[in-house]
Amino acid sequence: MKIATFNIQNLFHRDNELMKGPKGQNFQSWVDEFHALMGKSLRSDTDFDRLRELAFLLGFTSKSTEPYLVLRKRGGQLYVKPRGVALEERATAKIGWNGWVQVHSIPIDEKAVSHKVRIVADADPDILVLQEVEDRMSLSDFNGKLAEQYEITPYAQLLYLEGNSDQGLGMAVLAKNGYLVDSIKSHAHEKGRSDDPLFDIDCPEYSIITPKGESITVINGHFPEKDQGDTKETQRKAQAKRVAERYRKLLSKGREQVVVCGTLNDVSYSDALSPLLRDTHIKDISRHDEFQVIADKGTDGAYFRMGAYQKGVNIRQRDYLLCSPILFAKLESSGMDRRGIWPVEKPKWPTYPTVTSKTVQASDHPLLWAQFHGI
């Protein structure tokens, strides 16, 4: 059995707030002013002149090169879908549009999409666990690209959970080659100390049946990112504690083949992750003797983890693939693939030749994989 986990940072379109760009204070003030003018019931000639100026400053034109818009039936969110390249008229009087819609997501660069496809195709796992997926339609399109562009077997099962995120950050699992997702249990409804959800997105459990009839449980986690001052540390610790409780409960019920994976957004030696990493016997695949990673050639890389420099170095780790001791004993090999990540400073690890900037990178996160025998 080969399993992989990847924070793919959306497939085709991503929320504006998550796209880190060089837009300064002036840009935001223009956006606010534009929205304020559009919200007025009556607008003067001066208002229209200013709207034209702001439209120029914000990069609006009378033509749109965005492929097409899809209004999702549930949630009423307007998404840009990356298909086709024909020029289409924006809202004009000729087409009867009399309104203003603020689109909260923008299309991801086509080259970045191709790198996402390539890194998954290169791993080609039986079970693929993803974080930050925008919707099931995009997941289906992505699965089609895997088969079309790399002639690998497409995934027979694609399961998506939206969770609590309002920024299109859902969780997904894909399975093929006889591996079947038997059940899914969402934990998006669980509450923390306050009345707010414990998990910002979700932390689903997948029960997977192998071709040999064995049962594997996969917990797909996504904890909040570290911020300046790190006000989220308490929440991450509460989440880690809850995952550890679920892990122990599974073991107590005889379900001893458990994988915990995803973006936990903290280093392994942090106090926040201690309930899971130190208070249980769960194992990190990066500690296996056959863990494979191409070492960095310098000291200014943006992503570090066990094996990135040398054995024993483990700092700034965010993504994990953990497994129970019984599964760890069946681990043949494992690895981390960073070829889709563009280093912040000078490239210090090999990337795909076409990854030439942060804009076209696959993700800020590596893909982690593990190969088990006898399952």
Side-chain angles (χ1 to χ4, degrees):
M1 176 184 77
K2 188 175 187 181
I3 185 170
T5 179
F6 186 29
N7 185 331
I8 205 162
Q9 292 190 314
N10 295 119
L11 301 168
F12 297 111
H13 48 83
R14 189 160 174 84
D15 191 281
N16 288 327
E17 295 181 9
L18 301 173
M19 302 293 283
K20 298 177 181 178
K23 297 176 181 177
Q25 186 175 355
N26 286 343
F27 186 91
Q28 187 58 52
S29 65
W30 296 335
V31 171
D32 294 340
E33 184 181 358
F34 192 89
H35 288 168
L37 290 172
M38 290 301 298
K40 295 177 67 172
S41 57
L42 295 174
R43 290 185 286 272
S44 65
D45 290 340
T46 302
D47 291 334
F48 282 113
D49 289 340
R50 181 56 178 164
L51 281 171
R52 293 187 187 96
E53 292 175 356
L54 291 170
F56 173 77
L57 293 171
L58 293 172
F60 294 170
T61 64
S62 62
K63 296 280 186 178
S64 171
T65 57
E66 282 117 6
Y68 61 87
L69 299 176
V70 172
L71 183 61
R72 200 172 68 178
K73 293 182 179 180
R74 293 186 180 180
Q77 299 184 44
L78 192 63
Y79 285 152
V80 177
K81 299 293 291 181
R83 284 188 175 178
V85 293
L87 292 176
E88 297 291 341
E89 291 286 346
R90 286 180 182 258
T92 65
K94 292 181 180 179
I95 57 176
W97 178 266
N98 186 23
W100 171 252
V101 175
Q102 183 179 6
V103 180
H104 289 280
S105 62
I106 60 178
I108 293 171
D109 191 287
E110 284 287 349
K111 289 183 179 179
V113 174
S114 69
H115 294 139
K116 296 174 191 286
V117 175
R118 181 174 179 179
I119 201 164
V120 170
D122 284 349
D124 196 18
D126 303 305
I127 301 166
L128 176 63
V129 185
L130 297 176
Q131 302 85 41
E132 300 193 14
V133 176
E134 57 266 37
D135 53 53
R136 194 186 186 285
M137 183 183 296
S138 295
L139 192 64
S140 179
D141 289 347
F142 187 80
N143 190 40
K145 281 182 173 289
L146 285 171
E148 293 169 6
Q149 297 182 13
Y150 290 94
E151 296 183 354
I152 65 173
T153 305
Y155 287 91
Q157 289 189 310
L158 302 86
L159 297 156
Y160 166 83
L161 288 174
E162 185 172 13
N164 297 314
S165 172
D166 59 358
Q167 296 179 314
L169 302 180
M171 312 289 270
V173 62
L174 301 86
K176 65 179 180 179
N177 297 332
Y179 292 85
L180 301 175
V181 182
D182 186 54
S183 66
I184 296 181
K185 184 177 182 181
S186 171
H187 292 271
H189 61 282
E190 294 192 17
K191 304 294 184 181
R193 288 186 177 181
S194 63
D195 199 38
D196 296 327
L198 175 61
F199 299 103
D200 302 71
I201 303 174
D202 198 349
C203 193
E205 289 180 28
Y206 313 124
S207 178
I208 297 172
I209 304 301
T210 74
K212 294 185 177 182
E214 297 187 40
S215 177
I216 307 291
T217 302
V218 178
I219 298 176
N220 186 9
H222 190 295
F223 295 179
E225 289 188 20
K226 295 171 74 72
D227 56 15
Q228 192 170 7
D230 201 12
T231 58
K232 296 289 188 179
E233 184 173 5
T234 301
Q235 184 181 8
R236 280 199 302 278
K237 188 167 185 177
Q239 293 171 339
K241 183 178 180 181
R242 181 68 185 106
V243 172
E245 290 171 353
R246 286 157 51 193
Y247 171 72
R248 292 192 191 94
K249 188 173 182 179
L250 288 167
L251 297 184
S252 68
K253 291 184 175 180
R255 298 171 64 181
E256 297 182 321
Q257 299 192 121
V258 182
V259 170
V260 177
C261 62
T263 302
L264 306 188
N265 271 319
D266 215 334
V267 293
S268 62
Y269 50 81
S270 70
D271 179 66
L273 300 185
S274 61
L276 177 62
L277 300 184
R278 291 200 290 277
D279 297 344
T280 72
H281 297 297
I282 202 162
K283 305 289 186 180
D284 190 331
I285 58 118
S286 66
R287 305 302 176 94
H288 193 269
D289 290 339
E290 298 301 322
F291 182 73
Q292 302 172 21
V293 63
I294 300 175
D296 292 345
K297 298 177 182 178
T299 58
D300 62 348
Y303 191 95
F304 309 84
R305 66 169 287 120
M306 172 68 171
Y309 288 96
Q310 58 187 350
K311 293 295 183 181
V313 176
N314 188 3
I315 56 177
R316 300 188 192 178
Q317 182 176 352
R318 291 185 292 166
D319 301 281
Y320 294 81
L321 206 170
L322 313 167
C323 58
S324 57
I326 284 183
L327 271 183
F328 194 79
K330 298 178 181 180
L331 186 60
E332 283 185 340
S333 59
S334 58
M336 176 177 71
D337 194 339
R338 297 182 296 169
R339 289 176 294 172
I341 303 176
W342 178 250
V344 172
E345 297 184 21
K346 297 178 181 179
K348 293 299 182 182
W349 60 78
T351 63
Y352 293 130
T354 48
V355 176
T356 55
S357 70
K358 190 176 180 65
T359 302
V360 301
Q361 69 176 358
S363 172
D364 284 329
H365 302 259
L367 180 143
L368 298 172
W369 60 270
Q371 180 81 52
F372 300 92
H373 66 82
I375 303 176

